[in-house]
Amino acid sequence: MIRIEHLSKTYSGKTEVAALKDISLHVQPGDIYGIIGMSGAGKSTLLRCISLLDRPSSGSIYLDGKDMNTISGKELQQLRKQLGVIFQGYNLLMQKTIRKNIAFPLELSKTPKDEIKRRVDELLEIVGLSDKAEAYPSQLSGGQRQRVAIARALASNPKVLLCDEPTSALDPLTTRSILELLRDINQKLGVTIIVITHELGVVRTLCQKVAVIDSGLIVEQGLTREVMDEPKHEITKLLISTAGGR
Ligand code: ADP
């Protein structure tokens, strides 16, 4: 589904920052894959590269066998539609209703109006917000806003949902309900999910597979259960010990 080969990203400025160093990762269709690390480890940079918001300095990212960094134009646009992204701050349009927020990507791709109405109703139902269609983001709780962001990301029927710290601003109960929603989306809609997080609880609850990233390197990867039971790297041990029972 997504294959990352020898990906590196260096930011150049007054001083060079090697944010990602030789990352290789293979996400299979249907996976819920967690990428965990401390602050500054390179998680957001990796997500930005996968979601095509940033270009890697070297290496390749394949989506369904196609190298995303060598294609352009229409083909790239088509490939981009297969990726839905949810960001930490939700990025909702505050002046627009929930219905309009979710419809936005469909309007951009010139989807017919009746088709947009049908699809938005369906998405509102999936995320459990049918009664909030005409409300504005300011009238919703953090968890509800994240649900809107998830619905909007799913609007164009992506095969992969990329989630950047999807629960970092939420309380434990709301976190649980968002993780349940993501699991449902994975199981019922067959969407592959990649979650970037610094919270071990998110990985434990949601992800079958995990990669641990530290200083731009993947230091450990595998089945979550195996990595948690027998952590090999110091950073993994530290993440486990600081998370306690969570
Ligand atoms: P994380 O998401 O794990 O907290 P980031 O991917 O944001 O980590 O950052 C990884 C490293 O890259 C950090 O050292 C950060 O300072 C640096 N970095 C991130 N974005 C930029 C940028 N646009 N320009 C320069 N350095 C950056």
Side-chain angles (χ1 to χ4, degrees):
M1 177 103 271
I2 289 192
R3 195 155 47 85
I4 300 171
E5 302 273 7
H6 305 295
L7 185 83
S8 295
K9 173 74 186 177
T10 301
Y11 290 107
S12 44
K14 272 189 194 147
T15 51
E16 286 206 335
V17 182
L20 298 175
K21 302 168 198 159
D22 198 23
I23 299 271
S24 293
L25 198 73
H26 195 176
V27 180
Q28 309 271 9
D31 274 351
I32 306 185
Y33 209 116
I35 297 169
I36 189 166
M38 305 282 189
S39 180
K43 305 181 295 295
S44 301
T45 304
L46 181 56
L47 194 96
R48 289 177 64 79
C49 288
I50 302 174
S51 58
L52 302 167
L53 293 169
D54 220 337
R55 288 256 165 186
S57 307
S58 61
S60 307
I61 304 174
Y62 298 91
L63 175 60
D64 271 350
K66 291 201 177 115
D67 186 344
M68 298 205 280
N69 287 300
T70 59
I71 58 171
S72 55
K74 272 231 160 79
E75 206 181 2
L76 185 61
Q77 267 178 21
Q78 281 310 111
L79 214 58
R80 215 175 235 151
K81 276 194 189 162
Q82 298 188 23
L83 296 170
V85 189
I86 59 169
F87 302 96
Q88 250 181 84
Y90 318 129
N91 285 13
L92 300 183
L93 302 162
M94 300 307 276
Q95 309 305 326
K96 288 186 186 279
T97 63
I98 302 313
R99 173 178 295 284
K100 286 273 177 195
N101 264 278
I102 299 172
F104 193 59
L106 298 171
E107 283 168 359
L108 284 183
S109 64
K110 305 210 170 10
T111 307
K113 273 203 169 121
D114 51 345
E115 165 77 20
I116 293 182
K117 161 101 177 59
R118 193 192 56 73
R119 181 74 183 132
V120 172
D121 283 343
E122 193 176 79
L123 289 160
L124 282 165
E125 174 123 19
I126 290 171
V127 301
L129 288 179
S130 298
D131 58 333
K132 300 286 183 197
E134 306 312 325
Y136 287 85
S138 62
Q139 298 169 306
L140 302 190
S141 68
Q144 288 171 331
R145 288 184 199 186
Q146 187 60 291
R147 285 171 185 269
V148 178
I150 292 171
R152 184 184 53 186
L154 292 176
S156 58
N157 257 321
K159 289 186 182 164
V160 183
L161 185 62
L162 303 168
C163 309
D164 188 5
E165 301 276 6
T167 58
S168 62
L170 305 175
D171 63 64
L173 217 61
T174 313
T175 292
R176 200 191 302 163
S177 79
I178 292 293
L179 298 183
E180 276 168 15
L181 174 63
L182 290 173
R183 188 181 300 124
D184 260 16
I185 286 166
N186 170 259
Q187 288 177 354
K188 294 189 184 143
L189 306 181
V191 177
T192 302
I193 297 182
I194 300 178
V195 182
I196 297 283
T197 184
H198 66 278
E199 295 174 284
L200 195 76
V202 169
V203 172
R204 276 198 173 127
T205 310
L206 186 66
C207 308
Q208 307 113 352
K209 294 180 189 165
V210 64
V212 182
I213 183 167
D214 180 43
S215 305
L217 286 165
I218 290 188
V219 294
E220 195 157 356
Q221 59 182 304
L223 292 173
T224 303
R225 197 172 8 91
E226 290 178 4
V227 172
M228 294 301 136
D229 285 354
E230 275 186 61
K232 294 189 180 63
H233 197 274
E234 284 312 311
I235 283 290
T236 318
K237 290 178 189 168
L238 189 63
L239 284 163
I240 292 173
S241 69
T242 50
R246 286 194 298 146

